[in-house]
Protein backbone atom coordinates (compact mmCIF):
# COMPACT_ATOMS: atom_id res chain seq x y z
CA UNK A 1 0.00 0.00 0.00
CA UNK A 2 1.12 3.54 -0.69
CA UNK A 3 1.17 6.46 1.67
CA UNK A 4 -1.72 6.88 4.08
CA UNK A 5 -2.56 10.19 2.40
CA UNK A 6 -2.18 8.97 -1.19
CA UNK A 7 -5.58 9.35 -2.86
CA UNK A 8 -4.72 6.74 -5.50
CA UNK A 9 -3.96 4.18 -2.77
CA UNK A 10 -7.21 5.03 -1.00
CA UNK A 11 -9.24 4.65 -4.20
CA UNK A 12 -7.48 1.38 -5.02
CA UNK A 13 -8.19 -0.07 -1.58
CA UNK A 14 -11.87 0.86 -2.00
CA UNK A 15 -12.22 -1.34 -5.12
CA UNK A 16 -14.52 -4.32 -4.53
CA UNK A 17 -13.30 -7.90 -4.70
CA UNK A 18 -15.49 -11.00 -4.81
CA UNK A 19 -15.22 -12.97 -1.55
CA UNK A 20 -16.72 -16.22 -0.28
CA UNK A 21 -17.34 -16.55 3.45
CA UNK A 22 -15.90 -19.74 4.92
CA UNK A 23 -17.97 -19.67 8.11
CA UNK A 24 -21.27 -18.32 9.44
CA UNK A 25 -21.01 -14.78 10.79
CA UNK A 26 -23.92 -13.67 12.99
CA UNK A 27 -25.39 -10.18 12.53
CA UNK A 28 -23.25 -9.23 9.56
CA UNK A 29 -25.94 -9.60 6.91
CA UNK A 30 -26.03 -5.85 6.26
CA UNK A 31 -22.86 -6.33 4.19
CA UNK A 32 -24.92 -8.46 1.81
CA UNK A 33 -27.97 -6.18 1.95
CA UNK A 34 -29.86 -8.23 4.58
CA UNK A 35 -29.87 -6.04 7.68
CA UNK A 36 -30.12 -8.03 10.89
CA UNK A 37 -29.50 -11.37 9.16
CA UNK A 38 -26.47 -13.62 9.41
CA UNK A 39 -23.95 -14.27 6.67
CA UNK A 40 -23.95 -17.98 5.96
CA UNK A 41 -20.95 -20.10 5.02
CA UNK A 42 -20.55 -20.08 1.23
CA UNK A 43 -22.15 -16.65 0.78
CA UNK A 44 -20.51 -14.64 -1.98
CA UNK A 45 -20.10 -10.94 -1.23
CA UNK A 46 -18.12 -8.12 -2.81
CA UNK A 47 -15.94 -6.42 -0.20
CA UNK A 48 -13.50 -3.52 -0.47
CA UNK A 49 -9.95 -4.70 -1.07
CA UNK A 50 -8.74 -3.47 2.32
CA UNK A 51 -11.43 -5.40 4.21
CA UNK A 52 -11.42 -8.54 2.06
CA UNK A 53 -7.65 -8.75 2.21
CA UNK A 54 -7.66 -8.40 5.98
CA UNK A 55 -10.38 -11.04 6.45
CA UNK A 56 -8.60 -13.42 4.06
CA UNK A 57 -5.35 -13.40 6.05
CA UNK A 58 -6.91 -13.44 9.54
CA UNK A 59 -7.93 -17.02 10.33
CA UNK A 60 -10.47 -17.97 12.94
CA UNK A 61 -9.63 -21.52 13.78
CA UNK A 62 -8.18 -23.61 10.96
CA UNK A 63 -9.52 -21.54 8.05
CA UNK A 64 -9.68 -17.88 7.02
CA UNK A 65 -12.91 -15.93 7.40
CA UNK A 66 -13.18 -15.38 3.65
CA UNK A 67 -11.59 -16.66 0.46
CA UNK A 68 -10.83 -14.01 -2.12
CA UNK A 69 -11.38 -14.39 -5.83
CA UNK A 70 -9.58 -12.39 -8.48
CA UNK A 71 -11.44 -9.23 -9.50
CA UNK A 72 -13.23 -9.10 -12.85
CA UNK A 73 -10.47 -6.91 -14.30
CA UNK A 74 -8.06 -9.85 -13.93
CA UNK A 75 -10.30 -12.62 -15.26
CA UNK A 76 -9.22 -14.86 -18.13
CA UNK A 77 -11.10 -12.85 -20.77
CA UNK A 78 -9.15 -9.69 -19.95
CA UNK A 79 -5.85 -11.54 -19.56
CA UNK A 80 -6.29 -13.24 -22.94
CA UNK A 81 -7.00 -9.86 -24.55
CA UNK A 82 -3.87 -8.44 -22.91
CA UNK A 83 -1.81 -11.36 -24.21
CA UNK A 84 -3.19 -10.89 -27.73
CA UNK A 85 -2.71 -7.12 -28.03
CA UNK A 86 -2.30 -5.02 -24.88
CA UNK A 87 -2.67 -1.76 -26.80
CA UNK A 88 -6.30 -2.48 -27.69
CA UNK A 89 -7.55 -3.08 -24.14
CA UNK A 90 -9.26 -0.17 -22.39
CA UNK A 91 -7.69 -0.56 -18.94
CA UNK A 92 -9.61 2.41 -17.55
CA UNK A 93 -12.88 0.58 -18.26
CA UNK A 94 -11.55 -2.39 -16.29
CA UNK A 95 -10.44 -0.29 -13.29
CA UNK A 96 -9.34 3.34 -13.06
CA UNK A 97 -6.33 2.23 -11.01
CA UNK A 98 -5.78 -1.03 -12.89
CA UNK A 99 -2.08 -1.60 -12.16
CA UNK A 100 -2.35 -0.57 -8.51
CA UNK A 101 -5.35 -2.85 -8.02
CA UNK A 102 -3.53 -5.71 -9.73
CA UNK A 103 -0.42 -5.20 -7.61
CA UNK A 104 -2.40 -5.06 -4.35
CA UNK A 105 -4.49 -8.09 -5.34
CA UNK A 106 -1.52 -10.13 -6.47
CA UNK A 107 0.14 -9.50 -3.09
CA UNK A 108 -2.59 -11.81 -1.77
CA UNK A 109 -2.34 -14.43 -4.54
CA UNK A 110 0.56 -16.36 -6.00
CA UNK A 111 -0.16 -15.94 -9.71
CA UNK A 112 3.18 -15.68 -11.50
CA UNK A 113 1.56 -15.98 -14.94
CA UNK A 114 -0.62 -12.92 -14.30
CA UNK A 115 2.42 -10.97 -13.09
CA UNK A 116 4.24 -11.85 -16.31
CA UNK A 117 1.26 -10.85 -18.47
CA UNK A 118 0.91 -7.52 -16.68
CA UNK A 119 4.65 -6.80 -16.90
CA UNK A 120 4.62 -7.39 -20.65
CA UNK A 121 1.45 -5.32 -20.98
CA UNK A 122 3.00 -2.37 -19.18
CA UNK A 123 6.19 -2.54 -21.26
CA UNK A 124 4.31 -2.59 -24.57
CA UNK A 125 1.86 0.10 -23.55
CA UNK A 126 4.65 2.31 -22.13
CA UNK A 127 6.31 2.43 -25.55
CA UNK A 128 3.03 3.42 -27.16
CA UNK A 129 2.43 6.05 -24.47
CA UNK A 130 5.88 7.54 -25.09
CA UNK A 131 5.17 7.68 -28.84
CA UNK A 132 1.92 9.55 -28.25
CA UNK A 133 3.53 11.88 -25.70
CA UNK A 134 6.30 12.92 -28.11
CA UNK A 135 4.12 13.15 -31.19
CA UNK A 136 1.22 15.57 -30.83
CA UNK A 137 -0.38 14.37 -34.08
CA UNK A 138 -0.60 10.80 -32.75
CA UNK A 139 -2.27 11.98 -29.56
CA UNK A 140 -4.83 13.99 -31.53
CA UNK A 141 -5.44 11.53 -34.36
CA UNK A 142 -5.83 7.78 -34.18
CA UNK A 143 -4.37 7.64 -30.67
CA UNK A 144 -7.32 9.30 -28.93
CA UNK A 145 -9.07 6.01 -28.14
CA UNK A 146 -5.86 4.51 -26.79
CA UNK A 147 -5.22 7.54 -24.58
CA UNK A 148 -8.78 7.46 -23.23
CA UNK A 149 -8.19 3.89 -22.06
CA UNK A 150 -5.11 4.66 -19.96
CA UNK A 151 -5.32 3.89 -16.27
CA UNK A 152 -4.12 6.48 -13.73
CA UNK A 153 -0.52 5.25 -13.61
CA UNK A 154 -0.28 5.35 -17.39
CA UNK A 155 -1.81 8.84 -17.45
CA UNK A 156 0.89 10.02 -15.05
CA UNK A 157 3.50 8.42 -17.32
CA UNK A 158 1.99 10.18 -20.35
CA UNK A 159 2.03 13.55 -18.57
CA UNK A 160 5.66 13.10 -17.49
CA UNK A 161 6.77 12.06 -21.00
CA UNK A 162 4.78 14.87 -22.64
CA UNK A 163 6.15 17.50 -20.25
CA UNK A 164 9.75 16.28 -20.70
CA UNK A 165 9.35 16.36 -24.50
CA UNK A 166 7.94 19.88 -24.31
CA UNK A 167 10.79 21.05 -22.06
CA UNK A 168 13.34 19.45 -24.40
CA UNK A 169 11.89 21.33 -27.39
CA UNK A 170 12.03 24.60 -25.42
CA UNK A 171 15.62 23.96 -24.42
CA UNK A 172 16.60 23.10 -28.00
CA UNK A 173 14.89 26.30 -29.16
CA UNK A 174 16.85 28.35 -26.64
CA UNK A 175 20.10 26.73 -27.82
CA UNK A 176 19.33 27.65 -31.43
CA UNK A 177 18.59 31.27 -30.42
CA UNK A 178 21.94 31.54 -28.61
CA UNK A 179 23.92 30.03 -31.49
Amino acid sequence: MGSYYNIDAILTDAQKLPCTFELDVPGLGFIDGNAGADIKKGSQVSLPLWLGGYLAIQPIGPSPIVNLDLPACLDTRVLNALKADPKTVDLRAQAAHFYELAARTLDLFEEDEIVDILSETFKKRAGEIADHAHNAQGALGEGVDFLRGLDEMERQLFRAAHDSSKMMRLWMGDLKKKA
Side-chain angles (χ1 to χ4, degrees):
M1 179 173 170
S3 166
Y4 179 78
Y5 297 106
N6 182 341
I7 190 68
D8 291 329
I10 293 168
L11 292 172
T12 299
D13 281 347
Q15 293 285 317
K16 302 271 181 146
L17 290 182
C19 304
T20 305
F21 275 83
E22 294 300 315
L23 48 92
D24 293 336
V25 183
L28 205 57
F30 65 89
I31 289 178
D32 197 18
N34 298 322
D38 300 340
I39 288 193
K40 302 290 183 196
K41 180 179 180 176
S43 297
Q44 293 189 336
V45 179
S46 290
L47 296 175
L49 175 60
W50 67 268
L51 179 59
Y54 180 76
L55 294 176
I57 61 172
Q58 294 298 318
I60 291 185
S63 66
I65 299 169
V66 299
N67 276 332
L68 291 177
D69 295 322
L70 288 172
C73 67
L74 294 176
D75 71 4
T76 54
R77 179 186 53 81
V78 175
L79 294 174
N80 286 336
L82 289 173
K83 281 194 264 186
D85 187 4
K87 298 174 198 168
T88 61
V89 179
D90 183 351
L91 293 184
R92 191 165 195 79
Q94 302 302 318
H97 297 85
F98 179 81
Y99 290 110
E100 288 94 346
L101 177 61
R104 290 273 293 123
T105 302
L106 293 173
D107 282 344
L108 302 169
F109 293 90
E110 291 186 23
E111 295 284 345
D112 292 335
E113 181 185 0
I114 295 175
V115 171
D116 294 340
I117 292 168
L118 295 178
S119 295
E120 283 303 309
T121 295
F122 188 78
K123 289 176 194 174
K124 289 177 182 174
R125 289 175 65 98
E128 187 78 11
I129 291 166
D131 287 345
H132 288 293
H134 295 291
N135 178 4
Q137 294 298 349
L140 298 175
E142 72 277 350
V144 171
D145 289 335
F146 174 72
L147 294 175
R148 260 191 216 117
L150 301 180
D151 91 317
E152 283 302 314
M153 182 185 295
E154 291 174 327
R155 285 177 180 223
Q156 290 172 6
L157 178 62
F158 175 81
R159 278 187 219 107
H162 178 73
D163 290 347
S164 70
S165 175
K166 186 175 159 185
M167 296 303 290
M168 183 68 155
R169 283 193 298 274
L170 289 172
W171 179 73
M172 293 298 287
D174 286 346
L175 281 180
K176 287 179 183 177
K177 288 178 187 177
K178 291 179 182 178

